[in-house]
Amino acid sequence: MRIRFVDISKMLRVTDPRSGARLCEAQQLKSLQLSRKRISTKRSIAVGTLWLLAALGGMAQQPEYLAQTEPLTWDEIDLSTRLMDGAHRFVDRKIVEAPWRRDSFWARDFSSAEAYVKSVQPNRERFKTIIGAVDSRLPARMERFGDDAHPALVAETSRYRIFQVRWPVLEGFSAEGLLVQPKGETAGHVIAVPDADQTPEQLMGLAPGVRPESQATRRLAENGFEIIVPAMINRLKLSAEDRPFRNSDQTHREWIYRQAFQMGRHVIGYEVQSVLAATDWFRQQHGDKVKVGVCGYAEGGLIAFYAAAVDIRIDSVLVSGYFNSRQGVWAEPIYRNVWGLLREFGDAELASLILPRSLVVEHSTVPSLAGHKGDWRTPEFASVKAEIERIQTGPDFRIPEFIHAGHDKPIGPFSDAALAAFAGRLEGTKLEALREELPVDRRIGFDPVVRNQKLVQAMENHVQMLMLQSDKVRDEFFLYKIMPELADNRWSTARRHPKHPPEKFIEGAKPYRRIFSEDGMGRFDEPLLPFNARTRKVAENEKWTAYDVVLDVWPEVFAWGVLVLPKDLKPGERRPVVVCQHGRQGLPRDTLDANNSAYNNFAGALAERGFITFAPHNLYRGEDRYRWLDRKANNVKATLFSFIIAQHDQILRWLETLPEVDATRIAFYGLSYGGETAVRVPSILEKYCLSICSGDFNQWTRKVASTDQPFSFMRTIEWEMPYWNLGHTFDYAEMAYLIAPRPFMVERGHLDRVGRDSWVAHEYAKVRWLYAQLGLADRTEIEFFQGGHSINGEGTFAFLHKHLNWPSEVAERP
């Protein structure tokens, strides 16, 4: 097919990008030639030559830009980067605005301590949910365990005994650590949480690595406190023999974070639950009136802080080396990523969940971390102090105590001043100085790495159990909640069963569409701007003309795509539109004329069949830039698709204004990440009258969270793939349910390594089953073909002709 390209000299800079001086004609030609060289790296030499000839010869025959639009002057080469830059500026603004908007989530009542605690309980419950601390814990129990080489009694001094212990937390998951019991009268009860790269033994002086003056548990033990010291999951990188695991560049904490996030759980939540299970044991042993304190440093400070925020049974907390403004949490290690955290909670707001109980904050030096898909270093004193000053307190509440060295310097960790304030507020105890008597570990060859591996495996086992049970949870959450009668799957010999009228399901699905939009994908509370449409012609052949289209969405964000209009459109005629979506790292023109074997020019091929097509640009391009965009958005309860859905919403609104477009016949067809878009966007935007998912349909929960499957994202660098709690709410079948009663199709290559035929067929069978029960079986199909990760364009094209009511013989016209 011969393609004409327009005069792109009009798209190029006519001024020197360094000096701003206007280029002469020869310089413009040189610029044009350089541009042609860049373009040829993405297209064939023949196409590039035609591009240059078109530019020099002025072969354009159609209007240079569409009626009712302004000319587009931005460089095509820069559009993708410009769009990404704007999206980052937009979410940066949302993060800055978040603290100003938090008051709408709070209704604090300072009239009394009891009234206050009751007034913030809804916030506490929401916080427990977003850190995944939602499972009922097992009955409290503390097991001392050991053998000849590793006896249960680890060490003993004149004042205390140390035992290695484990205690049940959740089904299949027990915490491990040390239990320190005084020989004399007990002064109090404390849970001491070390940093992730410290061990309980180091805090007790049993192993080197922590300075004596920072050995908090040893100091408290010598002063008569009974102490539980849980082991934390460390930050070391995975050391698996499996190369994909190694190449995924994950720490142990990220390993748990990724799989758990998809299931509405979190490594933070598991460790908070471990602390709360220890609290359960203290209360079981000593009664409900026992006072319990929690102290922690660095990552342990986070866990101690969060545990006290969610459980009012914790009477006093010392947070060392963690408290700060969380406005930059998106740049901290990825295992601190918490869904929607900044919308409602900064550290000051979490501190207000601890009030009127005791809070001591110690500004101490923290470990310097880099390369954890986020970095961390000791915060500035001014930042910590400013966050302390944001804490809202009642008139009779005890003010949080802020411990730091003179001259605004850090102190500690676990300085004399901080421990004295903590112990004094908990039990009124005055601490004696640290003695010289050191405990000696009786275990032979004890290796904390082995314990860490056991903890990682225990958390993983719990997540994987949730994953395997998740399809039943989703059915109860969605399908059977709307239509309980569909749950009756008893075996029957009847040849025919009555179908269910679809109206009940369609009406019942409406609240779930809102849940999926707001809680699954995330939605920005920002009104769409006027279109301000800008266009320019970018390509044509004898059957169609293609135009770049740019539309405003939000102040910093626009939508961009390529509109392809058949040349045989008649005045007043309205035709169906197929929105053709590229995949990861793609561009709109890849679907049109790039001769990419994955896309097979399907936007152009459909235009030659007489369809209007539109190829939007989606933001999943630029490697980690789009991942960081998703990461930033998570903190304000949004995702990459919060942008994409809004862009498609604006595109649909604009398309339906075009005189050539039949607004009731706008379809969606996407490959790969575009196939992912095909189940996420039309499930929310009902203006799409049908959807085709190519090269992506899957058992998405297993695809994202399973640790034993070769095709799982757990083995890849794609760390943005987990979406908060989708495993318990919306897998691909449930997303497709939201598309019903509109037609829906899956295109699957047998050799596509995105998944397995059995996974795809199983998930699709659920969709087919629902459509059949609603009497809509003729509106859904799946096509398997002998190919890979690509557009096949056979059954899907027939599906489009059928359901868009566009005769297939149109494709045969000369």
Side-chain angles (χ1 to χ4, degrees), residues 591-664:
T591 70
L592 178 64
D593 57 14
N595 295 320
N596 184 305
S597 60
Y599 299 110
N600 292 311
N601 298 335
F602 74 118
L606 287 168
E608 290 172 7
R609 289 171 171 255
F611 294 101
I612 297 171
T613 65
F614 189 89
H617 181 62
N618 275 4
L619 279 161
Y620 35 72
R621 186 169 186 267
E623 276 306 336
D624 279 359
R625 285 215 74 201
Y626 72 81
R627 296 189 177 105
W628 282 107
L629 179 65
D630 184 75
R631 169 81 183 280
K632 287 180 178 180
N634 274 194
N635 290 281
V636 287
K637 199 181 177 184
T639 67
L640 195 65
F641 276 92
S642 305
F643 295 93
I644 292 171
I645 292 165
Q647 290 170 315
H648 278 260
D649 191 8
Q650 189 76 319
I651 289 166
L652 285 165
R653 293 168 188 265
W654 180 74
L655 284 173
E656 65 185 6
T657 69
L658 300 184
E660 305 90 344
V661 168
D662 181 348
T664 66

Side-chain angles (χ1 to χ4, degrees), residues 120-152:
V120 300
Q121 187 60 29
N123 305 86
R124 195 186 320 280
E125 293 300 322
R126 287 194 291 270
F127 182 64
K128 287 170 62 176
T129 298
I130 65 176
I131 64 170
V134 294
D135 297 293
S136 297
R137 292 184 297 280
L138 295 175
R141 183 164 55 89
M142 188 66 63
E143 178 188 358
R144 304 174 186 181
F145 69 97
D147 53 31
D148 291 343
H150 300 95

